[in-house]
Amino acid sequence: MEENEIEEWKKRIDGMGHLEMARMWRFFPSGHPVFNSQLPLFEHFQKRFKELGGMTPAISKAIGWER
């Protein structure tokens, strides 16, 4: 992944709300670049998601298991 793509994803992550991040956490494939621990995106995502409250029971119920 190119540096400009990483920066674009960081901006996108910063603009996401709690529900959107929870959906991404639950439903995006594990191979998605945001969840690649070798890239700085994973740490950025985790920090932002934690700031918003992470995966709470209420958020989990709100997004469900089905897409």
Side-chain angles (χ1 to χ4, degrees):
M1 181 173 258
E2 300 290 326
E3 186 64 34
N4 64 329
E5 293 173 300
I6 290 171
E7 290 305 314
E8 283 185 36
W9 262 106
K10 283 183 177 182
K11 288 177 188 174
R12 189 170 169 190
I13 289 167
D14 291 343
M16 288 181 178
H18 200 177
L19 279 173
E20 188 176 6
M21 292 192 82
R23 282 187 189 101
M24 189 173 182
W25 183 262
R26 181 166 290 166
F27 297 117
F28 274 41
S30 61
H32 191 278
V34 169
F35 301 117
N36 180 343
S37 63
Q38 302 301 312
L39 296 174
L41 290 175
F42 184 60
E43 186 177 325
H44 190 80
F45 181 92
Q46 285 184 311
K47 181 181 176 201
R48 172 83 173 127
F49 193 37
K50 185 177 180 179
E51 288 171 356
L52 294 173
M55 187 64 79
T56 65
I59 291 291
S60 181
K61 287 178 185 177
I63 63 171
W65 284 102
E66 301 293 325
R67 276 196 125 200

